[in-house]
Amino acid sequence: MKATCWMGTGNVQVLEVPDPKILNTHDCIVRVTATAICGSDLHLFDGLVPSMMKGDILGHEFMGEIVEVGPGVKNVKVGDRVIVPFPISCGKCWSCEHELYSVCENSNPNAWAAEKMWGYSPAGLFGYSHLLGGFAGGQAEYVRVPFADVGPLKVPDELSDEQVLFLTDIFPTGYMAAENCNIHPGDTVAVWGCGPVGQFAIKSAYLLGAERVIAIDRYDYRMRMAQEKGGAEVLDYEKVDVIDALKEMTGGRGPDSCIDAVGMEAHGTGIAFAYDAAKQAVRLEMDRAVALRTAIQACRNGGTVSVAGVYGGFVDKMPMGGIMNRGLTIKTGQTHVQHYTRPLLDRIQKGEIDPSYIITHRLPLDQASHGYEIFRDKLEDCMKVVLKPQ
Ligand SMILES: [Zn+2]
Ligand SMILES: [Zn+2]
């Protein structure tokens, strides 16, 4: 089959690789009909996530048709059209029983390595480094899906691939980011980053009752989408002092909650950004946390900072004094996707949202490398790339 392989920093190639096989009685094999490139794939592309190996198959946002099931699989069958959540979860451990699917205790065969870095291991993820299991991803013609009874969700025929594909990650991720804000009627929510997750965080904040959403970015086309499709007010952080502007817009008090939908490759202005960029370049700091620090600084006293952007390791210059003295709550996590797929599919079916509006590029799988480049470099007003294997 053809698959998108990580071949080194800034180098992905679509190569012929062996077809996946059922390895465990609870596996299924999915023939991929649509797959997307995620902002977090760019951290892999840019070489910022440790433990990638040449030839690793990328991709954790994918859907398709089940073509084979292991003998232990009960909930899905050959021929079912399914979306597949990006965390691999067993459904039986303590975390899964508490619906904390992204920290499943059974799905990362390289848990020892993650424990060394983070204390405990989270779940294994599709196509996201050996630290997180070394599982082959779904930017390919076929993919093996472990624990097929837990993750894959059958989707109705009347909805197109493009309408349901983002249930695999970014729609639940934006939604969980907003849910973590514990929004009350009348609330103002500020969202850093108008990429795909930021766009869904904006939509979700309104779905959950926010009165006002203010989005922060520097690319016109992304801010335009946040405004026109999301209904957000926007701030360009290269043109205004964001903290001052947010104070001004909220009567001096600050937004009730702040969402970081940027993560470890944040851009910014001023000395703190220069510090992060220099330290990350020489690997003294894993993550550049400019957006996160600004979100913490801007949030009102007693408010919530919700972190959806991906971080890998250690962050310097955390304003812990402000967090503690001003009584902020920080909520975060890889998304517990399986917890959200059904309710969010319901919202799509009811017409409350059609997530396909963020797609700007549809490419054949063969052009994955081009897709990564235009998405990373924000060329052609690229918001979201969907790859189609056939
Ligand atoms: Zn993703
Ligand atoms: Zn589990």
Side-chain angles (χ1 to χ4, degrees):
M1 69 161 182
K2 283 185 200 161
T4 307
C5 300
W6 187 90
M7 300 301 282
T9 299
N11 183 3
V12 303
Q13 294 174 25
V14 176
L15 300 173
E16 280 294 330
V17 301
D19 287 356
K21 290 193 173 66
I22 299 271
L23 298 180
N24 182 293
T25 53
H26 296 284
D27 292 347
C28 75
I29 303 288
V30 170
R31 180 179 65 80
V32 177
T33 55
T35 174
I37 303 174
C38 179
S40 66
D41 288 327
L42 296 179
H43 307 321
L44 304 174
F45 190 49
D46 292 341
L48 290 169
V49 177
S51 79
M52 288 298 289
M53 283 156 74
K54 206 172 169 181
D56 283 350
I57 300 173
L58 296 169
H60 60 266
E61 299 179 358
F62 59 89
M63 62 176 297
E65 185 195 342
I66 294 180
V67 291
E68 201 182 339
V69 292
V73 174
K74 296 189 180 69
N75 295 346
V76 288
K77 57 182 193 310
V78 170
D80 284 352
R81 179 170 165 255
V82 293
I83 58 101
V84 180
F86 77 85
I88 298 169
S89 314
C90 77
K92 297 216 161 79
C93 70
W94 186 93
S95 294
C96 287
E97 281 188 343
H98 291 78
E99 297 202 50
L100 301 169
Y101 295 102
S102 74
V103 287
C104 171
E105 294 156 21
N106 283 327
S107 63
N108 184 0
N110 300 328
W112 63 272
E115 283 167 11
K116 277 211 160 47
M117 189 143 132
W118 294 326
Y120 300 89
S121 176
L125 309 181
F126 288 102
Y128 215 81
S129 86
H130 290 265
L131 193 62
L132 294 173
F135 291 96
Q139 288 164 9
E141 290 180 298
Y142 296 91
V143 60
R144 177 178 77 95
V145 176
F147 303 115
D149 284 328
V150 184
L153 177 72
K154 229 184 128 170
V155 286
D157 290 339
E158 64 269 21
L159 295 173
S160 69
D161 279 12
E162 294 186 355
Q163 286 174 296
V164 293
L165 175 60
F166 303 134
L167 287 170
T168 59
D169 178 358
I170 53 173
F171 181 22
T173 296
Y175 192 88
M176 184 168 114
E179 198 180 68
N180 276 343
C181 291
N182 191 23
I183 294 168
H184 292 92
D187 273 8
T188 297
V189 179
V191 178
W192 272 256
C194 296
V197 169
Q199 300 290 342
F200 288 134
I202 294 166
K203 281 270 189 198
S204 301
Y206 282 124
L207 287 173
L208 290 166
E211 184 171 305
R212 208 175 163 194
V213 181
I214 304 166
I216 298 124
D217 204 283
R218 63 168 168 164
Y219 292 99
D220 284 334
Y221 74 95
R222 303 197 336 164
M223 292 190 286
R224 210 178 314 126
M225 183 179 280
Q227 246 172 339
E228 287 170 8
K229 308 276 185 177
E233 296 160 72
V234 294
L235 292 175
D236 180 340
Y237 68 79
E238 290 188 328
K239 296 197 175 125
V240 298
D241 182 299
V242 171
I243 295 177
D244 285 351
L246 287 171
K247 263 188 197 162
E248 185 110 332
M249 294 165 90
T250 55
R253 186 180 289 142
D256 299 288
S257 43
C258 293
I259 295 174
D260 168 3
V262 178
M264 66 198 280
E265 290 187 76
H267 288 92
T269 51
I271 187 76
F273 171 63
Y275 173 91
D276 284 332
K279 284 197 80 172
Q280 191 180 48
V282 293
R283 298 288 188 270
L284 282 171
E285 182 183 33
M286 287 188 66
D287 307 290
R288 301 196 303 253
V290 204
L292 176 58
R293 283 191 212 103
T294 317
I296 290 167
Q297 208 72 13
C299 191
R300 76 153 156 79
N301 287 353
T304 300
V305 176
S306 164
V307 185
V310 169
Y311 289 87
F314 301 91
V315 165
D316 290 0
K317 301 265 185 287
M318 221 354 85
M320 199 56 213
I323 297 171
M324 188 272 158
N325 286 288
R326 301 201 296 107
L328 301 183
T329 299
I330 306 236
K331 295 201 80 174
T332 184
Q334 290 279 8
T335 311
H336 305 298
V337 178
Q338 290 87 338
H339 172 73
Y340 295 97
T341 45
R342 278 169 204 280
L344 295 185
L345 176 62
D346 265 4
R347 287 191 187 263
I348 296 171
Q349 276 187 293
K350 285 185 197 143
E352 291 175 25
I353 180 169
D354 178 352
S356 65
Y357 74 93
I358 68 160
I359 301 170
T360 51
H361 290 74
R362 297 160 176 89
L363 300 174
L365 182 67
D366 285 336
Q367 290 180 33
S369 171
H370 175 64
Y372 271 82
E373 281 166 17
I374 55 173
F375 185 41
R376 177 194 58 192
D377 298 336
K378 319 281 189 294
L379 302 176
E380 302 171 15
D381 289 358
C382 182
M383 178 64 77
K384 189 73 177 173
V385 180
V386 172
L387 302 168
K388 308 214 169 170
Q390 273 96 23

